[in-house]
């Protein structure tokens, strides 16, 4: 009888012939994420991944595993021989441990999954037999097949049987890197880190670009954004972070374009610079934290104008979300507190009193004729700084 951790792989099951590739990516990431914790062995068996380790390390291992995208549940298990007596013993032990932690458990249901179809008993037979034995052992427990306080799971696999009653929910999604690479436009706000998280969860590997207006914005402001990227890197692994000063661009716009178009024209520059960085570094798309109607530049017309400045795909995973729901995710992924720190953002330096809410592509283009777009973009990129965040 040994204790192991099992990991269930959600949507990977849908991937058909690509399955092995996705599983391998996932294993690579698990190994990477847990490399500071020495475990004894990691192996696959019939659709699940198992980790053998000293039980003292379970908690820290599970904490790390929770942040790996592509897995849905993590369970501390007891691994035993495929033998009814051994299975019974493991179930009793597991039940005892659970009852110690939570005396309110009054009802249970045994749920058996037989991946090894050669095993002598069927799943319902095993569930019934073990259920009976647990009832005999624990006087205060009853069976409830509809709404039990505890599910006792039994997985019968090729080599062993696995017993567990806790399924700790992970984020699901896809292993990082299996859905391509993208460049996240990250501000110090609440939205863009959440947008990055959501795309990363779907398997996109992230780089970040941040625009500042130093010395109008502070170094502490930039540190804050790096801190946000660091929080994201807990999920994604190390992140390449491009820091671009756009003060000159903003000064030019401020001087030569209508005041109310300041924000939207700056936004176009952000997109252009991001596209250049992305193409140069073989990143396939941009990600922003925009959500429809949230502020003046995020109206349908505003988004049309910003989109028009680039030909690379732009993903806006928050487009249909309300602020309260975005905040909820930010809290959950631990970026909210950092986002709420008060530092100047480059957008607030030249904030127009009455920004346009229905800009047209043509009007904005006409305003931009006063600017040497290409040179401004090139100068900004020539002076950018690159950091590795981990
Ligand atoms: P956020 O909370 O992400 O700052 P927001 O609601 O404040 O978003 P805007 O300020 O209009 O919205 O910015 C829209 C998007 O443009 C951001 O989500 C981000 O992707 C990008 N962006 C804005 N400012 C910057 C910046 N200084 N550096 C990089 N990207 C930025
Ligand atoms: Mg913002």
């Amino acid at each position: 009888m040994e204790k192991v951790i099992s990991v269930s792989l959600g949507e990977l099951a849908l991937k058909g012939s690509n399955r092995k590739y996705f599983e391998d990516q996932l294993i690579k990431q698990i190994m990477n994420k847990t490399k500071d914790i020495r475990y004894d062995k990691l192996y696959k068996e019939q659709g699940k991944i198992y980790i053998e380790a000293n039980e003292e390390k379970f908690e820290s291992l599970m904490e790390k595993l929770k942040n790996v995208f592509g897995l849905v549940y993590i369970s501390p298990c007891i691994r035993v021989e495929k033998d009814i007596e051994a299975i019974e013993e493991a179930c009793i032990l597991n039940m005892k441990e659970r009852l110690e932690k939570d005396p309110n458990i009054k009802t249970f249901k045994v749920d058996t999954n037989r991946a090894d179809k050669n095993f002598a008993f069927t799943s319902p037979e095993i569930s019934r037999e073990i259920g009976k034995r647990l009832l005999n052992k624990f006087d205060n427990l009853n069976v409830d097949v509809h709404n039990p306080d505890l599910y006792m799971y039994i997985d019968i696999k090729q080599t062993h049987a696995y017993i567990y009653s806790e399924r700790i929910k992970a984020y699901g999604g896809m292993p990082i890197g299996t859905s391509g690479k993208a460049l996240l436009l990250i501000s110090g706000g609440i939205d863009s880190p959440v947008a990055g998280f959501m795309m990363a969860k779907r398997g996109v590997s992230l780089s970040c670009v941040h625009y500042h207006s130093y010395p109008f914005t502070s170094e502490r402001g930039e540190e804050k954004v790096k801190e946000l990227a660091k929080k994201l890197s807990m999920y994604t692994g190390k992140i390449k972070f491009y820091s671009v000063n756009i003060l000159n661009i903003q000064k030019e716009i401020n001087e030569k374009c209508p005041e109310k178009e300041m924000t939207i024209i700056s936004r176009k520059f952000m997109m252009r610079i991001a596209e250049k960085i992305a193409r140069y570094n073989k990143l396939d798309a941009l990600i922003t934290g925009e959500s429809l109607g949230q502020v003046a530049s995020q109206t349908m017309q505003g988004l049309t104008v910003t989109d028009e400045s680039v030909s690379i795909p732009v993903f806006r995973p928050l487009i249909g979300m309300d602020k309260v729901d975005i905040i909820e995710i930010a809290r959950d992924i631990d970026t909210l507190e950092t986002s709420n720190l008060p530092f100047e953002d480059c957008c607030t330096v030249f904030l127009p009193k009455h920004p346009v809410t229905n800009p047209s592509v043509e009007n904005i283009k006409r305003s931009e004729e006063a600017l040497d777009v290409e040179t401004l973009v090139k100068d900004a990129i020539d002076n950018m700084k690159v950091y590795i965040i981990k």
Side-chain angles (χ1 to χ4, degrees):
M1 183 184 291
E2 298 87 20
K3 300 243 172 135
V4 298
I5 293 176
S6 80
V7 170
S8 316
L9 327 176
E11 279 180 54
L12 294 187
L14 302 176
K15 291 293 155 199
S17 57
N18 274 339
R19 182 175 175 116
K20 189 174 163 357
Y21 165 71
F22 283 88
E23 279 182 356
D24 290 348
Q25 288 300 312
L26 191 58
I27 287 175
K28 219 160 77 185
Q29 262 154 60
I30 290 176
M31 288 169 61
N32 203 6
K33 207 46 88 45
T34 56
K35 65 174 180 282
D36 299 339
I37 308 170
R38 299 264 294 273
Y39 54 82
D40 302 327
K41 189 177 168 189
L42 183 151
Y43 64 97
K44 274 197 293 193
E45 183 167 22
Q46 292 176 300
K48 284 196 184 181
I49 294 171
Y50 295 93
I51 301 175
E52 287 175 19
N54 187 322
E55 205 184 341
E56 284 167 15
K57 295 178 179 170
F58 274 25
E59 203 163 313
S60 43
L61 269 172
M62 292 199 291
E63 208 47 52
K64 298 267 183 194
L65 288 169
K66 259 197 259 177
N67 291 348
V68 177
F69 297 134
L71 28 123
V72 272
Y73 291 114
I74 306 157
S75 301
C77 302
I78 304 175
R79 185 180 68 190
V80 293
E81 313 248 301
K82 287 157 63 179
D83 162 89
I84 283 288
E85 262 62 50
I87 293 172
E88 175 192 356
E89 196 187 335
C91 288
I92 289 173
L93 176 64
N94 185 277
M95 185 67 89
K96 272 189 187 148
E97 287 177 354
R98 291 299 306 278
L99 286 171
E100 258 167 43
K101 275 190 247 161
D102 183 1
N104 290 324
I105 295 171
K106 299 280 181 245
T107 59
F108 72 94
K109 174 183 179 177
V110 180
D111 188 337
T112 306
N113 189 313
R114 189 179 58 140
D116 172 16
K117 299 295 179 202
N118 293 321
F119 190 64
F121 306 96
T122 66
S123 299
E125 283 168 354
I126 301 166
S127 295
R128 217 172 308 124
E129 182 58 29
I130 297 295
K132 211 162 65 190
R133 297 188 188 194
L134 284 173
L135 281 176
N136 277 341
K137 181 80 191 175
F138 297 94
D139 291 340
N140 296 329
L141 290 183
N142 286 307
V143 169
D144 179 346
V145 292
H146 299 298
N147 191 20
D149 298 332
L150 177 146
Y151 279 92
M152 182 63 70
Y153 296 102
I154 303 173
D155 287 356
I156 310 285
K157 297 272 162 106
Q158 209 70 51
T159 66
H160 292 92
Y162 297 89
I163 283 80
Y164 55 99
S165 60
E166 269 175 299
R167 294 208 300 190
I168 295 151
K169 212 165 154 18
Y171 286 108
M174 313 282 289
I176 294 277
T178 58
S179 300
K181 301 176 190 161
L183 181 61
L184 170 67
L185 283 77
I186 188 169
S187 70
I190 294 170
D191 302 330
S192 37
V194 173
F197 171 85
M198 291 185 64
M199 295 305 290
K201 185 163 105 101
R202 294 307 303 169
V204 176
S205 113
L206 297 183
S207 297
C208 291
V209 58
H210 173 65
Y211 303 102
H212 63 88
S213 322
Y214 185 79
F216 280 41
T217 54
S218 68
E219 272 176 45
R220 283 290 289 116
E222 187 177 342
E223 284 310 311
K224 163 183 166 178
V225 183
K226 283 189 194 154
E227 183 60 33
L228 286 171
K230 191 170 172 182
K231 300 244 161 167
L232 283 178
S233 75
M234 306 274 255
Y235 305 94
T236 62
K238 66 173 189 263
I239 288 180
K240 211 164 171 185
F241 185 100
Y242 303 90
S243 172
V244 185
N245 191 326
I246 55 165
L247 182 57
N248 271 339
I249 295 176
Q250 289 177 305
K251 280 181 174 165
E252 281 282 299
I253 303 171
N254 191 46
E255 213 171 285
K256 296 178 177 162
C257 303
E259 191 220 356
K260 61 180 182 172
E261 293 172 3
M262 180 75 212
T263 311
I264 192 85
I265 296 178
S266 319
R267 192 71 83 231
K268 285 186 74 173
F269 273 92
M270 290 185 186
M271 300 297 272
R272 289 184 181 114
I273 295 168
E275 177 177 37
K276 280 236 155 56
I277 296 172
R279 296 218 184 272
Y280 192 76
N281 292 283
K282 300 205 164 31
L283 311 172
D284 312 309
L286 306 182
I287 303 168
T288 76
E290 288 156 319
S291 140
L292 191 62
Q294 201 187 78
V295 291
S297 58
Q298 297 177 23
T299 58
M300 190 95 63
Q301 295 88 335
L303 295 174
T304 306
V305 171
T306 38
D307 252 0
E308 180 274 335
S309 40
V310 292
S311 57
I312 190 169
V314 182
F315 292 117
R316 301 183 166 93
L318 311 186
I319 196 70
M321 286 180 70
D322 289 357
K323 194 77 182 188
V324 282
D325 300 322
I326 299 169
I327 289 173
E328 201 57 49
I329 299 177
R331 187 175 291 121
D332 181 50
I333 65 173
D334 193 34
T335 54
L336 184 64
E337 212 176 306
T338 310
S339 290
N340 277 337
L341 295 173
F343 289 105
E344 282 279 290
D345 184 67
C346 69
C347 304
T348 50
V349 176
F350 297 95
L351 197 64
K353 273 192 222 60
H354 303 286
V356 279
T357 52
N358 61 345
S360 77
V361 172
E362 285 317 312
N363 285 349
I364 299 295
K365 266 191 184 160
R366 210 164 305 127
S367 305
E368 283 182 322
E369 278 168 15
L371 307 169
D372 182 354
V373 173
E374 219 164 292
T375 308
L376 287 170
V377 168
K378 183 176 179 303
D379 287 349
I381 291 180
D382 284 348
N383 291 308
M384 87 183 165
K385 293 192 171 123
V386 187
Y387 305 91
I388 301 292
I389 308 279
K390 54 184 170 187

